[in-house]
Amino acid sequence: MPRPKLHNANILAEFQNLNYGNVPEQMNPIWLPVTEGQLPTWLNGTMYRVGGGRYKLGDLDHSGGGAAFTIRHAFDGLPYLYRFQFNSKDNTVRFNSRYLAKDFEKNLLASNGRGAVWFGESKNMSTWNRLKDFASRVDHLALRPKSSTPTSLSIGITATPNYPLPSSSSSSSTRLAMVTKSDFNGLQQVDHDSLEPQKIYTYRDYDKRLDGQLVAAHHHYDYDTKESINMTMNVGGKPTIQVFSINPQGKTTILASIQRGKDKHNTPVRSFYYHSFFTTKNYVVIPVYPMYYRNYGLDLLLNGSVLGGLEWEANTPTYFHIVDRHHGKGHVTTLLAPSFFAFHIINGRDYQDEHGNILFELDCAAYNGDMIYETHAFGDIIRASDYDRYVSLCKGKRKRKNNGIRIPPGHVTTFGDYRRYTLEWKNPHRTTTNTALATFETICTNFDFPRMNSAYCFKEHRYVYGCQVQPPTRERGERYTLVKVDVQQRVTKTFELESHHGYLCSEPIFVSAKDSDDEDDGVVLSLVNVFDNRGSQYDHCYLLVLDASSFTTIAKINIGAYIAPTFHGSYVDDASLETGSFN
Ligand SMILES: [Fe+2]
């Protein structure tokens, strides 16, 4: 008997045609031949990538009833973890993948979708149902979290090998483990080889003070001190930002607890949406963008959607809270910049000028905060045959808002700007407040998903790799291409496929060649999804290995006849568990 459809009257469904389906799971490893080219002899590590792999839920029992619940926002796909182990000697790649949220899907369907928190999914429902949904969400998530199984949450924005486990963790002989992370306070530990989920835990297991609901999916790793750094924050009327570091043994240090700015007005901190933050050699720099949770986070709980709970205050500055890392001084000052928003940080460094002032050079992919409403269409790659839909999406007038989400949503026609912010902390040994707004320089436009040589973290770097959006035409599908930015020379080099199909190159991970001192001596790894102009039955994905210096193809490895969207990944060198490029 067909499964009854859930109440999933998605307000975006009529406007959107996200090309994502369900990815087949490859639990048993397979050895894939390099289909074109030769892997460099030194490339013998493992890349992990994670991203939404299931968008049509409820078909696992093969009842024939079709999907009972369709996810429309690219950020909300239920996560798959992919593992690619390079073997240059055999010129093969060992590949396996794993669905990470089986029980989450099961529980979601059993509860009729009630109580979940999404990034962008939103449902039309009556006031009574909304209140029941709210009560269920508070009961399940905020006040009395239920005991969890290893797959009972959806945690799959970043994938981090060799992450330190809490020092209290008794089950593990090793203190480092493979984890997936997200923007809420939960981590999923998985087996680094089979990718089998092992348990879900929170930052409270590191230190009970880390009890905020929010955390950054992107932590920082200091390759010198071997510390992992992150921040939690609670949603509510009096939020506290807890900035902390974890050493390889899991020992956790609270670097600062911030409730007010050290600006002229001691401005109280408000709950805001964040996905990352800056770190330099000596400081953690927390940029509080004016992307606030409306009504102290009440709207987030009511709507069950991050987007439905946010408001962008274009005329409010960005507050940078500066936290000392090494001397126990905590929150030392607050510096201001005009409003902006960034999902992704590129790099940060601090240095002193001849007058004793401390300067911060902070690179990121910056946006006007209004863009958050266009994330609905992220990765909605337009085929050439679908060009008219693209034109109508771009022309569509935004007539109304529903739970804070604009209807109809726009299409992503460009990424943000690669900006370098310079912040000046004048007279750091005096108590005077700093009032001047920071300045910024635009290095290039249409840029996001940045990666660089990790040996240059917190130092002056020259090269950054990322993605760009190229609009479709009637003859050519939309393309998310790769770009290499030479920050010193202010030039960019684009990598495009020789193809008229639409395609999406995922975040390019840079891997340094062994024993090389040249910053761009290495390869760039990207998982490419091809949206065939002839139709989705021809879609496929493959792994691309580029020479990072010339930005040309070295090797390709066919993965499968499906679309495997991923946002982020990490590479770990097999020879040394502590080297690589982590996210
Ligand atoms: Fe991200």
Side-chain angles (χ1 to χ4, degrees):
M1 193 178 157
R3 182 194 292 274
K5 299 283 179 190
L6 289 184
H7 179 70
N8 181 216
N10 190 294
I11 55 173
L12 297 165
E14 59 186 298
F15 304 106
Q16 201 170 14
N17 183 30
L18 196 64
N19 278 302
Y20 299 163
N22 292 344
V23 177
E25 196 176 17
Q26 183 64 53
M27 283 169 59
N28 297 318
I30 50 175
W31 279 258
L32 301 169
V34 172
T35 34
E36 189 183 315
Q38 170 69 47
L39 298 174
T41 53
W42 50 265
L43 189 67
N44 293 298
T46 302
M47 176 174 74
Y48 297 90
R49 294 201 62 85
V50 68
R54 282 182 63 77
Y55 289 81
K56 294 176 174 46
L57 312 185
D59 65 341
L60 283 182
D61 60 2
H62 307 292
S63 64
F69 192 102
T70 301
I71 294 174
R72 300 279 170 180
H73 196 291
F75 291 9
D76 286 323
L78 301 189
Y80 269 50
L81 183 59
Y82 306 88
R83 185 179 191 278
F84 307 88
Q85 185 175 350
F86 296 90
N87 183 330
S88 63
K89 190 159 162 276
D90 297 344
N91 209 30
T92 59
V93 173
R94 182 180 182 263
F95 171 70
N96 56 318
S97 66
R98 186 75 77 144
Y99 177 34
L100 299 179
K102 282 194 176 97
D103 284 348
F104 176 83
E105 177 176 343
K106 197 171 82 181
N107 297 338
L108 184 82
L109 294 168
S111 67
N112 208 25
R114 189 169 292 151
V117 177
W118 303 96
F119 183 86
E121 290 294 310
S122 184
K123 293 185 284 182
N124 276 327
M125 60 175 79
S126 67
T127 304
W128 174 241
N129 276 331
R130 186 171 295 283
L131 285 172
K132 282 202 297 188
D133 196 40
F134 169 74
S136 176
R137 194 169 292 117
V138 170
D139 186 43
H140 289 165
L141 295 177
L143 297 179
R144 288 190 287 137
K146 285 184 172 174
S147 61
S148 60
T149 69
T151 63
S152 60
L153 288 176
S154 174
I155 306 177
I157 304 296
T158 53
T160 311
N162 304 321
Y163 199 69
L165 291 171
S167 55
S168 59
S169 173
S170 56
S171 61
S172 174
S173 55
T174 171
R175 289 269 160 242
L176 302 175
M178 175 82 210
V179 297
T180 57
K181 312 197 306 311
S182 185
D183 284 333
F184 66 88
N185 195 344
L187 301 99
Q188 186 174 36
Q189 184 181 337
V190 304
D191 184 89
H192 71 93
D193 188 81
S194 71
L195 309 180
E196 184 183 359
Q198 295 172 325
K199 73 170 181 179
I200 284 171
Y201 66 102
T202 75
Y203 284 99
R204 284 183 289 267
D205 295 314
Y206 294 91
D207 186 303
K208 63 180 187 314
R209 289 169 288 180
L210 302 178
D211 60 354
Q213 298 93 341
L214 310 175
V215 69
H218 296 276
H219 73 296
H220 282 279
Y221 182 69
D222 186 322
Y223 289 83
D224 292 326
T225 65
K226 306 194 187 311
E227 291 167 297
S228 299
I229 298 159
N230 210 326
M231 55 183 278
T232 58
M233 183 182 207
N234 57 305
V235 179
K238 203 174 179 187
T240 303
I241 297 172
Q242 301 277 23
V243 186
F244 61 95
S245 67
I246 310 172
N247 78 5
Q249 286 72 44
K251 183 173 177 297
T252 303
T253 305
I254 305 285
L255 299 172
S257 301
I258 304 172
Q259 290 190 321
R260 287 183 168 274
K262 288 187 182 283
D263 55 311
K264 196 166 71 175
H265 304 291
N266 291 127
T267 309
V269 162
R270 290 162 64 186
S271 300
F272 74 112
Y273 172 71
Y274 62 96
H275 183 62
S276 62
F277 56 95
F278 296 95
T279 298
T280 68
K281 190 172 189 298
N282 297 297
Y283 299 92
V284 184
V285 180
I286 310 293
V288 177
Y289 313 113
M291 183 76 82
Y292 297 121
Y293 282 103
R294 204 168 42 244
N295 293 327
Y296 307 109
L298 191 65
D299 287 18
L300 167 69
L301 287 173
L302 268 173
N303 293 321
S305 148
V306 170
L307 277 188
L310 289 176
E311 60 186 343
W312 168 245
E313 290 189 7
N315 297 318
T316 301
T318 295
Y319 294 86
F320 290 91
H321 301 300
I322 314 288
V323 173
D324 171 64
R325 284 187 56 196
H326 302 304
H327 307 93
K329 293 180 181 171
H331 178 199
V332 290
T333 191
T334 296
L335 305 171
L336 273 59
S339 65
F340 76 99
F341 171 76
F343 281 112
H344 297 126
I345 300 314
I346 298 168
N347 201 11
R349 70 182 183 100
D350 63 80
Y351 57 97
Q352 208 164 39
D353 70 9
E354 64 270 26
H355 308 295
N357 303 316
I358 294 175
L359 287 104
F360 298 90
E361 187 179 270
L362 307 173
D363 291 14
C364 61
Y367 293 83
N368 174 325
D370 275 345
M371 68 74 63
I372 198 89
Y373 303 109
E374 293 179 359
T375 57
H376 282 281
F378 178 86
D380 183 20
I381 298 291
I382 306 286
R383 302 169 204 269
S385 53
D386 218 5
Y387 177 74
D388 290 339
R389 182 166 72 87
Y390 167 75
V391 173
S392 68
L393 278 171
C394 291
K395 282 186 179 167
K397 288 185 180 164
R398 292 162 186 183
K399 292 176 183 163
R400 61 193 167 99
K401 270 190 167 187
N402 188 318
N403 300 337
I405 297 171
R406 292 173 176 189
I407 305 296
H411 190 74
V412 177
T413 54
T414 179
F415 286 142
D417 293 345
Y418 178 165
R419 283 188 198 159
R420 171 164 291 175
Y421 282 84
T422 303
L423 275 59
E424 187 178 14
W425 181 16
K426 282 186 179 294
N427 305 312
H429 301 296
R430 296 185 193 165
T431 53
T432 51
T433 53
N434 296 268
T435 51
L437 283 182
T439 57
F440 69 84
E441 183 185 357
T442 300
I443 308 285
C444 76
T445 57
N446 191 3
F447 184 81
D448 208 334
F449 297 97
R451 295 301 287 258
M452 51 176 273
N453 185 332
S454 55
Y456 291 78
C457 282
F458 314 154
K459 299 172 188 162
E460 198 168 352
H461 65 269
R462 177 169 178 181
Y463 300 109
V464 184
Y465 309 87
C467 298
Q468 278 192 335
V469 182
Q470 310 290 348
T473 65
R474 282 194 190 282
E475 291 75 37
R476 200 167 182 190
E478 185 174 11
R479 292 150 288 143
Y480 284 16
T481 59
L482 297 175
V483 62
K484 175 182 179 180
V485 182
D486 181 335
V487 180
Q488 276 180 16
Q489 300 292 322
R490 295 289 196 272
V491 293
T492 60
K493 201 183 267 187
T494 302
F495 177 85
E496 295 204 38
L497 306 179
E498 289 178 16
S499 167
H500 280 218
H501 301 303
Y503 60 85
L504 188 161
C505 295
S506 65
E507 167 206 59
I509 299 179
F510 175 85
V511 182
S512 182
K514 285 272 187 308
D515 305 322
S516 177
D517 291 330
D518 290 338
E519 187 180 333
D520 64 345
D521 185 5
V523 296
V524 163
L525 307 173
S526 177
L527 182 59
V528 181
N529 288 296
V530 177
F531 298 77
D532 197 297
N533 286 331
R534 294 169 294 174
S536 58
Q537 66 272 32
Y538 296 99
D539 289 351
H540 60 281
C541 61
Y542 62 85
L543 192 56
L544 181 66
V545 184
L546 295 184
D547 175 80
S549 175
S550 63
F551 223 42
T552 54
T553 304
I554 291 179
K556 281 184 186 176
I557 302 99
N558 286 333
I559 303 298
Y562 50 83
I563 296 296
T566 60
F567 288 114
H568 298 298
S570 294
Y571 177 89
V572 62
D573 188 339
D574 279 356
S576 166
L577 290 177
E578 288 185 359
T579 61
S581 180
F582 307 131
N583 213 327

